[in-house]
Amino acid sequence: MKILAGNSNLPLARAIAGYLELPLTNADVRRFADDEVFVEIHENVRGEDVFVIQSTSAPANDNLMELLICIDALRRASAKRITAVLPYFGYARQDRKPGPRTPISAKLVANLITTAGVDRVLAVDLHAGQIQGFFDIPTDNLYAAPVMAADILSQGDAANLMVVSPDVGGVVRARALARRLNNAPLAIVDKRRDKPGVSEVMNIIGDVAGKDCILIDDIIDSGGTLVNAAQALIDGGAASVTAYLTHGVLSGKAVERVTNSALKELVITDTIQPTKAALASDKIRVLTIAPLIGEAIHRIAEESSVSSLFD
Ligand code: R5P
């Protein structure tokens, strides 16, 4: 088995390799003077089971291109099996046509990765589970929920917890976390915009008064969804609001927004390499997902069950 890393998240790739007690494959993934990506693998990979670790996070197009070119290099070097390990699958939110004459970019990116020559995909908390079906090859979707639940339970008494989904689409994810928190009760933030351009009305489904709320979502991007939901919960009488998000995209002024928000804490994972601003914020904490991905890679290599990681 070999682990090859693109440049999107080298600390995570090193931590996964550390879990597996393997060195990263000796390779250069670099740019020519004109910015084209070039990959050179400096060791034999013929007949090897190779896992390429690359999040297609910002700069999404550069990181995607690195991934495709790594896969091409491995295929042409006769690797036996190539698995694209995508801790964060960028473009996942473009999974349907939001209007006429718009693309389904998540499907296009899945086609590109498959056509480049991978045999399987390993992802974490895909924005929508059905994206697995965009790949016509085996695709494992890992859940960060066990890592989050262990962290929440290690913080102390769970008796007053309430798990909250920040939108109706996240209810299944929230319910799965609630189950791991001794079946904590569930609430949902129902976001309504009466007219375009008129501010949103946040209705809370569930009684959050006096509760320590745990907001869970897959992605924090601009931070708008999360910060507004946290404020609505505090306005609804919640005792505290802590958020657990798998993918800390944190674009634009998101870190500032979180720092100035009603949130007690935002906990993200390292599927995307955290920015300096995120690491400097005293409201943001990072949990590592490396052992989970490392164990899944180990099980894929050994042809044993991945789903039993979540029993
Ligand atoms: C939406 O369906 C996602 O689960 C996230 O809630 C959304 O992408 C977060 O975006 P933002 O932080 O920009 O509100």
Side-chain angles (χ1 to χ4, degrees), residues 93 127 166-167 173 217-226:
R93 285 175 288 176
H127 177 61
D167 53 33
R173 187 177 294 116
D217 206 351
D218 59 334
I219 297 171
I220 174 166
D221 188 345
S222 68
T225 304
L226 187 67

Coordinates of all heavy atoms in Angstrom, one line a residue, residues 93 127 166-167 173 217-226, ligand 1:
R93 N -21.8 20.9 -3.5 CA -23.1 21.6 -3.4 C -23.8 21.8 -4.7 O -25.0 22.2 -4.8 CB -22.9 22.9 -2.6 CG -22.7 22.6 -1.1 CD -22.4 23.8 -0.3 NE -21.0 24.3 -0.6 CZ -20.5 25.4 -0.1 NH1 -21.2 26.2 0.6 NH2 -19.3 25.7 -0.4
H127 N -21.8 16.2 0.9 CA -22.9 17.1 1.1 C -24.2 16.4 1.1 O -25.1 16.7 1.8 CB -22.8 18.3 0.1 CG -23.9 19.2 0.3 ND1 -24.1 20.0 1.4 CD2 -24.9 19.6 -0.6 CE1 -25.2 20.7 1.3 NE2 -25.7 20.5 0.0
P166 N -29.4 23.1 11.3 CA -29.6 24.5 11.0 C -30.5 24.7 9.8 O -30.8 25.8 9.4 CB -28.2 25.0 10.6 CG -27.4 23.8 10.2 CD -28.0 22.7 11.0
D167 N -30.9 23.6 9.1 CA -31.9 23.7 8.1 C -32.6 22.3 7.9 O -32.1 21.3 8.5 CB -31.3 24.2 6.7 CG -30.1 23.3 6.3 OD1 -30.1 22.1 6.6 OD2 -29.2 23.9 5.7
R173 N -28.6 14.1 9.3 CA -27.3 14.2 9.9 C -27.4 14.5 11.4 O -26.7 13.9 12.3 CB -26.5 15.3 9.2 CG -25.1 15.4 9.6 CD -24.3 16.5 8.8 NE -24.2 16.2 7.4 CZ -24.8 16.9 6.5 NH1 -25.5 17.9 6.7 NH2 -24.7 16.5 5.2
D217 N -23.7 20.6 11.1 CA -23.8 20.8 9.7 C -22.6 20.2 9.0 O -21.6 19.9 9.6 CB -24.0 22.3 9.3 CG -24.8 22.6 8.0 OD1 -25.0 21.6 7.3 OD2 -25.1 23.7 7.8
D218 N -22.7 20.1 7.6 CA -21.5 19.5 6.9 C -20.5 20.6 6.6 O -19.3 20.3 6.7 CB -22.0 18.7 5.7 CG -22.7 19.6 4.7 OD1 -23.4 20.6 5.1 OD2 -22.7 19.3 3.5
I219 N -21.0 21.8 6.2 CA -20.1 22.8 5.7 C -20.4 24.1 6.4 O -21.5 24.5 6.6 CB -20.3 23.0 4.2 CG1 -20.0 21.7 3.4 CG2 -19.5 24.2 3.6 CD1 -20.4 21.7 2.0
I220 N -19.3 24.8 6.8 CA -19.4 26.3 7.0 C -18.6 27.0 6.0 O -17.4 26.8 5.8 CB -19.0 26.7 8.5 CG1 -19.1 28.2 8.6 CG2 -17.6 26.1 8.9 CD1 -19.0 28.8 10.0
D221 N -19.3 27.8 5.2 CA -18.7 28.5 4.1 C -18.6 30.0 4.5 O -17.7 30.4 5.2 CB -19.5 28.3 2.8 CG -18.8 28.8 1.6 OD1 -17.9 29.6 1.7 OD2 -19.2 28.5 0.5
S222 N -19.6 30.8 4.2 CA -19.6 32.2 4.6 C -19.9 32.4 6.1 O -19.6 33.4 6.7 CB -20.6 33.0 3.8 OG -21.9 32.6 4.1
G223 N -20.5 31.4 6.6 CA -20.9 31.4 8.1 C -22.3 31.9 8.3 O -22.8 31.8 9.4
G224 N -22.9 32.4 7.2 CA -24.3 33.0 7.4 C -25.3 32.0 8.0 O -26.0 32.4 9.0
T225 N -25.3 30.8 7.5 CA -26.3 29.9 7.9 C -26.1 29.6 9.4 O -27.1 29.7 10.2 CB -26.2 28.5 7.2 OG1 -26.3 28.8 5.8 CG2 -27.2 27.5 7.6
L226 N -24.9 29.4 9.8 CA -24.6 29.0 11.2 C -24.8 30.2 12.2 O -25.4 30.0 13.3 CB -23.1 28.5 11.3 CG -22.7 27.9 12.6 CD1 -23.4 26.6 12.8 CD2 -21.2 27.7 12.6
Ligands
R5P1 C1 -26.1 23.9 2.9 O1 -27.0 23.1 2.5 C2 -24.9 23.4 3.7 O2 -25.2 22.3 4.4 C3 -24.4 24.5 4.5 O3 -25.4 24.9 5.5 C4 -24.1 25.8 3.7 O4 -23.3 25.4 2.6 C5 -23.3 26.8 4.6 O5 -23.0 27.9 3.9 P1 -22.8 29.3 4.6 O6 -21.8 29.1 5.7 O7 -22.2 30.2 3.4 O8 -24.1 29.8 5.0

